[in-house]
């Protein structure tokens, strides 16, 4: 029982998943805290961790995997902040500072999608790979990227979900992104599906043309991810991908669109574009994986 | 005069630029060798280097910056090869093996655009930056990418020039890419300009609508590069960018298209999207920069 104990927060737009674990096989305690204003939400997380610490002992580190945009540059005055999010009240929220003061443990901070990707790399469907993209298609579209064994950050962090892609011929939907209208997220995230078809995506039957069109756009995304990052595998997760009919359609459309440009991928496409291995656990385990990086 | 001497080859589709230098300020000898069949071309390069070595002494290393696609994985049986290029006779050409046998010096091998980016990073317009994209827009469109201080490779290497982008409303041109029709390269490389306007791009006056349309497509490219790689700067080079009217139009269109998504960039856009610092020398100096990596 000498394994180090890690704390994690998967900070999402609707709930913060708090977890205390030694790894994926030994979760000591976890709790979902619904998002209210920052002060209330962060205090509830703090109280959870203080209770957990009393019961299970000191944490080796805390990992925070957060929705964005966030500031990841350690030399920046706003390092550890959620920065200019459109989410009411959450702009300029100092996540790292709050928990450094509250818990006094080392903290590792990254995007939610980079966290999930790291968990998939360590324990899930990206083991033994050095270059992988993890995409979540849900309320928004976000991508975590590992290239040559390292999580990609750059000046800020990738926002690949907003990439500009060709409109499907004759598609009349103008797009749902407040910044770019018909960027990828504006055309293919959950709210776009809802707006385009004027009903919940959950109520669209498998035979509905919505899914073929959705696969078309996600295949365009996979083509651009492949050309830009040269990954060994692309993992597609998030609520929208729970529709089982979608993944095979995406693979088929991808092969047609990339047209053999990076070699004949027909035999490997099921490995190349695939489902995450950790399912709904990737977010919280991502925070643990980040804590272990610390 | 104890500085090490480096050899470099900028292997382009129409000529191989061979160079022997200690760095950008002291080029000992250089020569352009027109591309014929592989045996003839490589032998001419070898003879150039053997003569140079006799005159100037042994090389510390050779850098090869090559057109692609190429195999960069050291554990691959075709490491150092130009692989599946459409260029007649050049598929499966073992560049690294040829010069290892001919010169018996350490060799560092990368894409032509990664080489040029490395030279810009060391001596040109990307000094002191950790995340930069270098794009050449000429016969084709290619991008070299550095993120977080390292050249990006992945499974193969990026082929960002073939990214899929939205068609400009009403643009009737079907595109010139043999793989993807109207991908970025198919819409905006030199041959696409030639086909679209049925004349040499050189003969199009500055006032021709061609340049506004070209700027539109290159701005879309810059948006996607920004969202995918989160660079601190994008350098636009290559023959097409020699048209001076183009760069300001690209910046203007970029600001409109990205619409503030990664912050207000109006004051910094001239730095953010700019010209390379080494001009036509970036290719050959890129090979020297690669040699110095060895």
């Amino acid at each position: 029982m000498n394994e180090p104990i890690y704390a994690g927060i998967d900070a999402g737009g609707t709930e913060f998943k708090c977890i205390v674990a030694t790894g994926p096989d030994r979760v000591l305690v976890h709790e979902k805290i619904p998002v209210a204003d920052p002060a209330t939400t962060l205090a509830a997380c703090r109280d959870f961790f203080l209770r957990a610490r009393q019961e299970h002992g000191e944490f080796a580190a805390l990992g925070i995997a957060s929705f964005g945009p966030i500031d990841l540059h350690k030399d920046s005055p706003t390092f550890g902040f959620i920065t200019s999010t459109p989410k009411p009240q959450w702009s300029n929220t100092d996540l790292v500072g709050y928990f450094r003061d509250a818990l006094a443990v080392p903290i590792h901070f990254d995007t939610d999608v980079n966290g999930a990707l790291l968990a998939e790399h360590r324990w899930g469907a990206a083991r033994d790979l050095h270059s992988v993209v993890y995409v979540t298609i849900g309320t928004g579209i976000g991508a975590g990227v590992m290239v040559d064994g390292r999580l990609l950050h750059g000046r800020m962090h990738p926002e690949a979900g907003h990439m500009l892609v060709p409109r499907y011929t004759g598609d009349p939907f103008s797009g749902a992104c407040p910044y770019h209208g018909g960027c990828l997220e504006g055309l293919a995230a959950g709210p776009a599906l809802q707006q385009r078809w004027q009903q919940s995506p959950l109520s669209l039957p498998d035979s509905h043309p919505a899914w073929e069109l959705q696969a078309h756009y996600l295949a365009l995304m996979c083509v651009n991810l492949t050309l830009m990052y040269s990954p060994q595998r692309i993992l597609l997760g998030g609520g929208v991908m729970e529709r089982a009919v979608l993944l095979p359609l995406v693979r088929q459309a991808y092969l047609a669109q990339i047209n053999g440009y990076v070699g004949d991928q027909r035999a490997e496409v099921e490995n190349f574009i695939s489902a995450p291995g950790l399912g709904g656990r990737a977010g919280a385990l991502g925070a643990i994986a980040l804590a272990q990086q610390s």
Side-chain angles (χ1 to χ4, degrees), chain A:
Chain A
M1 300 307 289
N2 286 325
E3 284 180 297
I5 295 170
Y6 297 97
I9 305 174
D10 177 23
T14 56
E15 61 185 18
F16 279 30
K17 292 181 193 161
C18 295
I19 180 172
V20 174
T22 61
D25 300 327
R26 190 159 163 258
V27 175
L28 300 170
V29 55
H30 62 102
E31 187 172 319
K32 290 178 185 177
I33 291 164
V35 168
D37 63 283
T40 309
T41 312
L42 300 184
C45 294
R46 177 199 60 202
D47 293 346
F48 165 83
F49 287 119
L50 292 176
R51 283 193 307 272
R53 179 152 72 180
Q54 216 154 22
E55 189 172 349
H56 300 285
E58 183 60 280
F59 314 134
L62 168 67
I64 305 177
S66 178
F67 74 89
I70 59 180
D71 186 343
L72 294 171
H73 281 282
K74 294 208 171 139
D75 51 357
S76 159
T78 53
F79 167 73
F81 281 50
I82 294 172
T83 57
S84 59
T85 177
K87 194 171 173 59
Q89 305 184 69
W90 281 83
S91 277
N92 297 309
T93 299
D94 181 7
L95 287 187
V96 169
Y98 183 90
F99 289 102
R100 193 189 288 122
D101 291 350
L103 300 176
V105 293
I107 297 179
H108 198 89
F109 183 53
D110 211 326
T111 60
D112 46 5
V113 277
N114 267 352
L117 171 53
L118 195 63
E120 290 288 339
H121 185 252
R122 191 154 300 170
W123 304 302
R127 274 178 287 188
D128 304 320
L129 302 179
H130 57 74
S131 298
V132 192
V133 183
Y134 171 96
V135 189
T136 174
I137 302 120
T139 313
I141 299 181
V145 182
M146 175 181 284
V147 182
D148 306 325
R150 297 201 313 182
L151 293 173
L152 189 148
H153 296 110
R155 181 192 202 176
M156 189 175 86
H157 48 74
E159 282 284 351
H162 288 263
M163 71 170 83
L164 304 174
V165 293
R167 187 62 62 97
Y168 189 76
T169 313
D171 179 5
F173 180 55
S174 62
C177 174
Y179 286 91
H180 315 112
C183 68
L184 178 71
E185 179 169 304
L187 291 169
L193 279 168
Q194 168 86 37
Q195 277 187 44
R196 181 198 293 280
W197 304 106
Q198 293 291 307
Q199 57 184 295
S200 162
L202 294 172
S203 69
L204 295 165
D206 282 357
S207 59
H208 194 282
W211 301 113
E212 194 112 18
L213 185 62
Q214 180 71 4
H216 170 84
Y217 284 120
L218 295 181
L220 284 174
M221 173 189 81
C222 289
V223 169
N224 280 356
L225 295 173
T226 300
L227 295 171
M228 301 287 240
Y229 298 126
S230 196
Q232 299 164 289
R233 187 169 295 160
I234 298 172
L235 299 176
L236 301 184
V240 171
M241 292 308 298
E242 285 169 19
R243 178 65 59 129
V245 77
L246 199 47
L247 189 56
L249 291 174
V250 173
R251 291 176 180 136
Q252 197 182 320
Y254 167 83
L255 288 175
Q257 290 173 17
I258 198 146
N259 194 20
Y261 188 71
V262 297
D264 184 350
Q265 294 185 286
R266 282 173 295 182
E268 62 151 23
V269 72
E270 293 192 15
N271 274 315
F272 186 65
I273 301 176
S274 56
L278 302 171
R281 303 171 71 213
L285 291 178
I288 295 297
L290 289 175
Q292 293 185 350
Q293 296 275 87
S294 178

